[in-house]
Amino acid sequence: MASETRTVGERGQVTIPKELRERLGIMGGDEVVVREEDGRVIIEQMTVRERLAEGYRARAGRDSQLEREMADVSAEADDDLGDAPEW
């Protein structure tokens, strides 16, 4: 892809060219890493490790919520049905 000139908006925003976003699989809502290196602004996709960590954190939050919901349901079942018999 040839280089393209982009204008920085008043709030510091720059649009990544559509062709580049499509080729790299960057979609709306995705996070990118912005850093400075040797006087240049570098925009990078999050690494696989960062994406995995983010996914695991989100899953842990959902799992914790599910655990709380199941504990409530289990307690309610114990109240209604009593303890399971010992075999």
Side-chain angles (χ1 to χ4, degrees):
M1 174 179 168
S3 64
E4 294 186 28
T5 302
R6 296 292 168 149
T7 301
V8 178
E10 291 181 24
R11 294 176 45 199
Q13 296 172 322
V14 177
T15 301
I16 301 170
K18 182 179 180 181
E19 177 185 320
L20 186 57
R21 291 191 322 264
E22 288 176 346
R23 187 159 28 98
L24 297 175
I26 300 172
M27 302 180 72
D30 286 354
E31 291 186 2
V32 294
V33 177
V34 180
R35 62 185 173 82
E36 184 270 337
E37 181 178 293
D38 299 325
R40 297 178 297 157
V41 176
I42 308 293
I43 301 172
E44 297 178 311
Q45 287 179 282
M46 290 178 63
T47 63
V48 172
R49 172 179 259 168
E50 291 167 325
R51 286 183 182 187
L52 283 173
E54 182 178 286
Y56 287 136
R57 283 191 294 273
R59 175 137 186 202
R62 289 191 307 270
D63 288 351
S64 294
Q65 176 64 29
L66 181 59
E67 181 181 2
R68 287 189 297 274
E69 290 174 12
M70 292 303 295
D72 291 344
V73 170
S74 180
E76 185 178 317
D78 285 345
D79 291 344
D80 289 345
L81 304 173
D83 292 332
E86 296 293 327
W87 298 98

